[in-house]
Amino acid sequence: TVNREKADVGEYSQEISFDYTGKYTGSAVVSVRMQKTIAPIGRVYGVVKEELSGDLISNCEVSITPGGIIRTTDQAGRYEFADLNVGSYSLAFRKAGYKDASIQVTVVAGGEHQVDVRMSAKSPFFLAETSLDFGEMEINKVIHLYNESDADCTYSVKNVPSWLLLDPATGTVAAGSSATVAASVNRDAVNCGKYFQEISFDYTGKRFGSVSFPVSMEKVELSTPTVSCGALAENIEETSFDISGSVVSIGGQAVTSYGHCWSLSPEPTVSDNMTNMGRVVAPTNFKSTITGLTAFTTYYVRAYAENAMGVSYSDEITVTTKDVKSEKWDGTIASSFAGGSGTSSDPYIIETGGQLLLVRSYSSSHFALANNINLDNLNWKPFPFSGTLDGKGFIISNLYIKRNDDYQGLFSKMGSSNSVVKNLTIKGVRIDAAGIDCIGAIAGSSSGLISDCKVIFLSDSYIKGTNYIGAVVGSGSVQNCEVKSQAVGTVITGNNYVGGITGSGNCDNCHVYADVAGNVDVGGIAGSGSDFSMCSFTGKVTGNSEVGGIVGSGMSSVKSCKSVANIFASQKAGGIVGLAFSYNGINVKACYSDGTITSTSSSASYFGGIVGYSIYQRDAVYHSFSTVSCSISGYSGSELYDCCTVGALGTSYGSNNQSYCTDITTFMKECYSDYASYWNYNNTWTWKGTIKGKEVSVSCPRLAWEQ
């Protein structure tokens, strides 16, 4: 280091040596040089003026950095910084009532740098808002006025329309302060339409001028809102997606709820799944995150908005969720499982298609899935199964079978009363078994338990067989299962004993959204069976005889079930049961049907909204109703049938002495209290149709288990 303070001005040089001793002895010389000069200096000076008028500004604070020196302009607006070293500096200018200013300057040796600055006076008058839009509903708003100058400012408002009131329309805004003007609209003074007016605030103070200010509002006839839906979904995942929407118009009154609704069927409503963004009093954009969906499934989505006049819906879009990631099967069999010992407490673990095929060698053991499995549409060979399989919610996809043997499905037979398949989803199934009996996605037949399973038909899915055909099982009882179809058209077809869940068997809490077709004993849930509870069917059922929305032919009890079916048959067709053939009679308790029944024969006979035909006339329908519309040879209409019925059915076309109810909810609430617990009278839907030539809207209750 050097210390120039100990030297005079001039140049200095010196050789110094480093003497060293080690392996060798010697000396190294280095030359050191330095210079001391007089530091060059410069000067910065200038004048500060008002930007618009050019008036000189005195008492303005001017600071320079680096150095931190502060000067104040004199009466002529002048400032000066002398004896500045060479380098870059920043000048800052500050004065009350003016906007701060700054400038950079570079000082060179001996330089005389004139830096004149113009400062802008702070605004004497401005508005916080740039416009006011009262929309369809708002009445009152506030305009905020500001004066940042050092002098008071007066204002007055011009061009005010008759429908706008400003209070006060003239006034003063004190120096360095703010004020408010209350603005309100009177829609009673105008007709329906959109209104727009440019008003102006004229002001005088430190300066004078005028500020234009647009005001708009709309008066509409009271109506339901107008709403639109985003054309495409965003962030689509296996179980969720985002979708945007807009409340375009509120209909002249507050929107009490808005968002999106969706379902697996077209034209979803707020009675299906929905989001609710709450209340809004002006048009708005919004976005819903829809969750809890099924992978690789197509959903129908609409935006909605509701006010006191009712609910409006947007156009519909479809969104298909992403497919699940699955282990793809190569057609080979594994040599071992992924873990476990095959006991009930330590089941064999299945992670691949090869391990799933290995089950055939240990079919009486206990198993659990630990992964999604893609069978890749390779021709699966069914085998008997007498053990237990817990799917753990995982999915077996792309099940394809084309064999010449009866009993086809993932398993051919579940032959033991102790065999169990539960918590399993079969997605994308194709079973081509024309001329073959006992066909189902999970099993051809079952003596055991099939529970909490799903079968999902994709666009190219189908199950084709002859007798005892079901989406879940060809023959056997099922509980807590669901069948859904993404295909257009019939996906479950056969000849006799054809059902959406089972060809023949009992069902509890099972639900089908698909189309079913056969010849005799065809039902939305089952072709034939004895006991059905809390089941529902939505879709089309086609057959010749003994065709029902729930069961084609029934022998014992149907309880708390609903059918929304379009039924096509030539005889013995009912919205719930096609044919009741038990000698002791069949009881239908707390059920309802909606949809249509269409005759496919010119000699049609025995059609009913609940039961089509009863052999022994000992059947009873309790606390049930039907809103089925009929199109039958010799009759065409959309009357209510089997409404709130008691007693035997079986008469042609299903009419009875309780027809033509106009408020089913109230009627049922007031009678048959033994079955009241099956219904939720606060959760209703509306049937619209014709009764005795008059268009009506009928309130109908939903079952207690429905959402």
Side-chain angles (χ1 to χ4, degrees):
T1 58
V2 295
N3 185 357
R4 289 184 173 83
E5 297 298 327
K6 294 185 176 182
D8 297 326
V9 174
E11 293 187 3
Y12 296 85
S13 63
Q14 178 72 44
E15 285 191 351
I16 59 175
S17 61
F18 288 82
D19 296 339
Y20 59 88
T21 300
K23 187 169 184 179
Y24 300 99
T25 300
S27 180
V29 178
V30 63
S31 177
V32 180
R33 178 182 178 279
M34 77 96 170
Q35 183 178 13
K36 181 177 180 180
T37 62
I38 298 175
I41 60 174
R43 172 173 169 258
V44 175
Y45 65 96
V47 175
V48 180
K49 298 180 180 180
E50 206 276 339
E51 183 179 37
L52 295 179
S53 66
D55 294 340
L56 298 171
I57 300 177
S58 60
N59 296 315
C60 176
E61 180 184 283
V62 186
S63 61
I64 190 168
T65 304
I69 303 171
I70 299 175
R71 299 280 189 262
T72 302
T73 58
D74 59 19
Q75 293 297 318
R78 295 174 300 192
Y79 73 94
E80 179 184 3
F81 294 96
D83 300 329
L84 296 176
N85 291 331
V86 171
S88 296
Y89 294 88
S90 176
L91 301 176
F93 302 83
R94 298 181 181 88
K95 181 176 173 61
Y98 291 86
K99 296 178 182 178
D100 292 349
S102 63
I103 195 168
Q104 302 293 320
V105 61
T106 300
V107 175
V108 299
E112 296 283 332
H113 304 282
Q114 182 173 349
V115 181
D116 294 336
V117 175
R118 288 182 176 267
M119 297 182 68
S120 299
K122 289 185 177 179
S123 177
F125 184 86
F126 69 92
L127 306 175
E129 295 78 19
T130 58
S131 64
L132 285 188
D133 183 5
F134 289 86
E136 301 174 20
M137 184 176 173
E138 288 188 273
I139 297 174
N140 300 308
K141 288 180 176 291
V142 175
I143 305 171
H144 296 84
L145 319 179
Y146 289 89
N147 177 9
E148 292 184 341
S149 72
D150 54 0
D152 293 349
C153 180
T154 60
Y155 71 90
S156 62
V157 190
K158 308 295 184 184
N159 302 322
V160 180
S162 60
W163 46 266
L164 178 65
L165 175 65
L166 300 176
D167 184 25
T170 62
T172 299
V173 185
S177 66
S178 63
T180 59
V181 174
S184 61
V185 294
N186 178 15
R187 290 184 175 84
D188 293 335
V190 295
N191 297 321
C192 290
K194 294 183 178 180
Y195 293 84
F196 176 88
Q197 181 70 45
E198 284 269 356
I199 63 175
S200 61
F201 286 77
D202 296 344
Y203 63 89
T204 301
K206 184 85 173 182
R207 292 194 191 91
F208 64 89
S210 182
V211 177
S212 295
F213 188 79
V215 181
S216 58
M217 71 97 169
E218 184 174 4
K219 181 179 179 180
V220 299
E221 293 286 352
L222 296 184
S223 65
T224 57
T226 302
V227 64
S228 66
C229 185
L232 297 172
E234 301 174 331
N235 304 319
I236 301 174
E237 300 296 339
E238 294 177 14
T239 59
S240 65
F241 60 82
D242 295 335
I243 185 71
S244 61
S246 298
V247 177
V248 180
S249 169
I250 65 173
Q253 52 197 317
V255 169
T256 54
S257 64
Y258 66 100
H260 290 88
C261 55
W262 68 95
S263 72
L264 293 170
S265 303
E267 298 184 354
T269 70
V270 292
S271 297
D272 299 307
N273 304 290
M274 59 178 287
T275 61
N276 187 347
M277 303 298 178
R279 186 177 186 273
V280 70
V281 295
T284 187
N285 299 321
F286 60 92
K287 179 177 288 187
S288 296
T289 297
I290 296 175
T291 61
L293 307 177
T294 301
F296 202 54
T297 301
T298 298
Y299 291 89
Y300 297 86
V301 186
R302 294 196 293 182
Y304 78 92
E306 181 176 12
N307 63 15
M309 298 294 289
V311 184
S312 293
Y313 296 95
S314 70
D315 291 339
E316 178 181 272
I317 70 163
T318 58
V319 182
T320 301
T321 52
K322 285 185 178 179
D323 200 356
V324 295
K325 297 178 181 178
S326 303
E327 174 70 30
K328 185 177 288 188
W329 182 43
D330 61 4
T332 63
I333 188 170
S335 59
S336 62
F337 296 104
S341 58
T343 65
S344 58
S345 60
D346 185 31
Y348 288 124
I349 303 302
I350 300 171
E351 294 182 344
T352 68
Q355 292 167 355
L356 183 64
L357 188 58
L358 183 62
V359 171
R360 70 185 185 185
S361 300
Y362 303 83
S363 61
S364 62
S365 300
H366 301 273
F367 304 88
L369 289 188
N371 196 16
N372 296 314
I373 298 174
N374 182 356
L375 295 179
D376 200 26
N377 292 310
L378 302 179
N379 196 3
W380 180 258
K381 174 66 174 175
F383 54 85
F385 181 69
S386 58
T388 68
L389 172 63
D390 187 349
K392 298 290 185 179
F394 288 104
I395 299 172
I396 295 176
S397 60
N398 298 317
L399 172 65
Y400 173 70
I401 304 171
K402 187 174 177 59
R403 304 283 178 177
N404 295 321
D405 305 318
D406 291 339
Y407 302 102
Q408 292 187 17
L410 184 67
F411 304 115
S412 59
K413 297 181 181 179
M414 293 171 57
S416 168
S417 61
N418 295 320
S419 59
V420 176
V421 175
K422 63 181 181 180
N423 302 322
L424 177 65
T425 295
I426 304 289
K427 185 190 71 175
V429 55
R430 291 191 298 155
I431 303 179
D432 192 349
I436 306 299
D437 295 341
C438 298
I439 310 298
I442 290 180
S445 68
S446 171
S447 299
L449 174 66
I450 299 176
S451 176
D452 299 281
C453 293
K454 293 181 180 180
V455 176
I456 300 174
F457 288 87
L458 302 181
S459 59
D460 61 346
S461 297
Y462 56 83
I463 292 179
K464 298 177 182 178
T466 302
N467 301 318
Y468 298 100
I469 311 300
V472 176
V473 63
S475 175
S477 297
V478 180
Q479 67 181 31
N480 306 327
C481 288
E482 184 177 69
V483 174
K484 293 184 177 181
S485 175
Q486 298 177 23
V488 176
T490 303
V491 293
I492 307 162
T493 58
N495 187 34
N496 300 331
Y497 302 106
V498 183
I501 294 288
T502 177
S504 179
N506 303 325
C507 296
D508 179 59
N509 192 29
C510 291
H511 308 279
V512 175
Y513 307 86
D515 293 347
V516 182
N519 181 30
V520 179
D521 293 314
V522 185
I525 298 296
S528 178
S530 297
D531 295 293
F532 300 87
S533 175
M534 293 191 297
C535 294
S536 71
F537 173 77
T538 301
K540 182 171 72 172
V541 185
T542 304
N544 179 33
S545 178
E546 300 165 26
V547 181
I550 297 297
V551 57
S553 58
M555 291 182 289
S556 181
S557 172
V558 182
K559 179 176 64 179
S560 191
C561 294
K562 79 163 188 175
S563 168
V564 183
N566 295 318
I567 298 173
F568 297 83
S570 63
Q571 61 177 337
K572 300 183 181 68
I576 299 295
V577 181
L579 170 68
F581 65 94
S582 170
Y583 179 79
N584 294 321
I586 184 170
N587 290 324
V588 178
K589 302 175 181 178
C591 294
Y592 75 90
S593 61
D594 187 32
T596 63
I597 298 178
T598 302
S599 168
T600 58
S601 171
S602 59
S603 58
S605 60
Y606 303 113
F607 292 83
I610 300 292
V611 178
Y613 183 75
S614 173
I615 293 179
Y616 298 103
Q617 294 290 304
R618 295 175 180 173
D619 308 292
V621 177
Y622 300 102
H623 213 196
S624 300
F625 70 89
S626 171
T627 58
V628 169
S629 301
C630 298
S631 179
I632 301 170
S633 177
Y635 177 84
S636 178
S638 55
E639 307 282 4
L640 292 176
Y641 284 93
D642 302 320
C643 167
C644 316
T645 56
V646 178
L649 297 179
T651 56
S652 183
Y653 312 139
S655 60
N656 59 66
N657 62 353
Q658 294 291 349
S659 294
Y660 315 127
C661 290
T662 56
D663 188 345
I664 296 176
T665 300
T666 299
F667 187 90
M668 296 184 68
K669 188 175 181 181
E670 294 175 349
C671 63
Y672 314 122
S673 60
D674 288 348
Y675 306 102
S677 62
Y678 291 108
W679 298 97
N680 180 357
Y681 298 114
N682 295 319
N683 184 10
T684 63
W685 60 281
T686 301
W687 178 84
K688 295 183 179 181
T690 305
I691 296 180
K692 294 184 177 180
K694 182 180 179 180
E695 294 291 330
V696 296
S697 296
V698 180
S699 173
C700 304
R702 298 183 190 275
L703 293 165
W705 55 263
E706 291 187 78
Q707 293 183 352

